[in-house]
Amino acid sequence: MRAVVLVGGFGTRLRPLTFTTPKPMLPVGHRPIVENLVRMLAAAGIDEVILGLGFKPEPFIDAFPDGTCAGVRLHYAVEPEPLDTAGAIRFAADHAGINDTFVVVNGDVLTDLDVSALIAFHRAKNAEATIHLTPVDDPSAYGVVAIDSEGCVERFVEKPAPGTAPSNLINAGTYVLEPSVLQRIELGRKVSIEREIFPLIVDDGRLFAMATDDYWIDTGRPEPYRRANLDMIDGIRRRLSAPGIEPGAEVHPTALIEHSLVSSGAVVAPGASVHDSVILAGAVIHKGALVRDSIVMGTVGERATIIDTVVGVAGVIPEGATLEHAFVPDPTAV
Ligand code: GDD
Ligand code: MG
């Protein structure tokens, strides 16, 4: 079976990190998010992944030069312009010639879902489309789904106004679709699967959903992105884990690394201390600096302190400075 992974979004909410790296290429547990997704799909027997590319396709092509990822064949479908989620699915599926049941995954969601269980549920219900659901406390930032006792979807509401959500079960971003769904997606314009296509399938009574309490996180904002990384060292993922300090990271013996990830290609100088943070390849934490609750791709100067701060590739925290709740460089200034 084949799968489409949607990786063409702008990653706006993760700026400045996504100025240089598209969101699905940002590492979680020292591996690109998209590689984590491909591994999940491979475990369910998916043998080809079609990457639905738009914004910045080159980093994906460069990262997997032999056209495979985790042993799975990759097919690149580069949209001429952003087509939104359904438009992107149709474009990618047409590009790869999909004509059988297939899987779709949002490129920023990480989960321990057993995708083969979702496929089995889809077949048992004779559904046209099946969505994975997960419960959350505040559903208003997501697609919210109401189901009957059989798992048949009664309503799908994308990002309802706070307080109006019909349930606390949300679209978790993994779907099983029949090729007939593609015929519902008009060509040549932006179409959202959440706002236009799912409601049409609901009207025909053929949209089903399966809720699970598997680990699930949408990495599309700084706080959950950092959390997703820390979860990989906290041992709470079903089959996955990562070392805090990746081999190849340059961490001075007098530096203190506590509950953090430091990737290969990052440097942490003498006397620096890093807590609950994610230090990515290319980052340099200079002598005596203190980094807490932060994500760093750039440079933190000597004796500087950053707390709850996101530092992009071009970000430089001056020597001795103190910053809290900041984005460097400021993404809104561009
Ligand atoms: N190729 C392509 N083209 N991909 C796109 C486009 C596009 O025009 N627009 C968005 N994407 C990709 C993004 O890169 C991302 O992987 C995925 O589609 C979902 O887009 P997001 O921007 O992350 O959406 P969201 O997080 O606000 O909401 C979606 O995910 C939630 C779960 O995390 C929706 O599917 C919600 O219903 C869902 O609850
Ligand atoms: Mg998202």
Side-chain angles (χ1 to χ4, degrees):
M1 192 181 286
R2 294 191 275 179
V4 172
V5 180
L6 294 177
V7 290
F10 291 101
T12 319
R13 292 162 293 184
L14 272 176
R15 287 176 180 166
L17 302 177
T18 46
F19 279 148
T20 44
T21 307
K23 175 166 68 174
M25 283 304 299
L26 289 173
V28 165
H30 312 295
R31 278 211 273 261
I33 291 169
V34 65
E35 187 177 330
N36 285 285
L37 283 172
V38 172
R39 284 176 192 274
M40 168 184 82
L41 293 166
I46 299 292
D47 52 14
E48 184 180 48
V49 164
I50 299 116
L51 294 180
L53 295 157
F55 171 68
K56 286 196 202 303
E58 302 80 13
F60 294 91
I61 299 165
D62 295 347
F64 309 108
D66 69 345
T68 72
C69 172
V72 175
R73 211 166 51 242
L74 298 177
H75 177 112
Y76 302 104
V78 184
E79 288 156 47
E81 65 206 347
L83 294 169
D84 207 342
T85 46
I89 292 167
R90 166 119 204 220
F91 181 87
D94 286 355
H95 202 272
I98 284 186
N99 54 11
D100 205 350
T101 310
F102 65 109
V103 172
V104 174
V105 186
N106 282 348
D108 58 352
V109 148
L110 292 175
T111 175
D112 285 341
L113 169 73
D114 174 359
V115 176
S116 53
L118 190 71
I119 298 168
F121 180 92
H122 173 84
R123 297 212 195 277
K125 298 292 177 183
N126 188 30
E128 183 176 355
T130 299
I131 313 174
H132 174 222
L133 304 181
T134 193
V136 295
D137 292 336
D138 175 12
S140 63
Y142 302 100
V144 186
V145 178
I147 48 173
D148 70 13
S149 56
E150 299 294 305
C152 185
V153 176
E154 296 171 321
R155 276 186 75 196
F156 187 106
V157 198
E158 184 66 12
K159 310 210 169 88
T164 67
S167 83
N168 74 330
L169 288 175
I170 61 140
N171 168 20
T174 303
Y175 318 134
V176 183
L177 305 182
E178 289 306 309
S180 60
V181 172
L182 300 170
Q183 302 317 311
R184 296 178 180 267
I185 305 167
E186 223 179 286
L187 288 170
R189 67 170 176 97
K190 289 188 175 193
V191 184
S192 157
I193 195 159
E194 298 87 350
R195 293 179 196 277
E196 291 191 55
I197 306 303
F198 286 152
L200 286 178
I201 310 175
V202 170
D203 289 345
D204 289 348
R206 306 260 339 261
L207 184 66
F208 284 76
M210 184 180 94
T212 76
D213 56 10
D214 296 305
Y215 175 91
W216 181 87
I217 198 162
D218 179 334
T219 59
R221 285 171 292 119
E223 185 43 36
Y225 174 68
R226 187 177 68 95
R227 185 75 261 151
N229 272 283
L230 297 179
D231 288 343
M232 292 289 285
I233 60 172
D234 286 343
I236 65 167
R237 298 295 305 270
R238 187 179 298 148
R239 281 175 298 265
L240 296 173
S241 64
I245 301 175
E246 190 185 20
E250 237 181 89
V251 176
H252 193 269
T254 62
L256 171 65
I257 309 292
E258 191 214 18
H259 193 231
S260 296
L261 289 91
V262 184
S263 286
S264 172
V267 177
V268 185
S273 70
V274 176
H275 309 264
D276 306 300
S277 294
V278 180
I279 312 298
L280 295 167
V284 181
I285 313 297
H286 283 284
K287 286 181 191 161
L290 169 65
V291 175
R292 196 179 282 286
D293 301 334
S294 295
I295 307 162
V296 184
M297 283 181 154
T299 303
V300 181
E302 273 189 45
R303 288 169 287 98
T305 296
I306 60 168
I307 299 168
D308 184 23
T309 288
V310 181
V311 185
V313 168
V316 179
I317 310 295
E319 200 178 309
T322 296
L323 253 83
E324 215 169 323
H325 317 304
F327 293 82
V328 185
D330 177 2
T332 61
V334 186

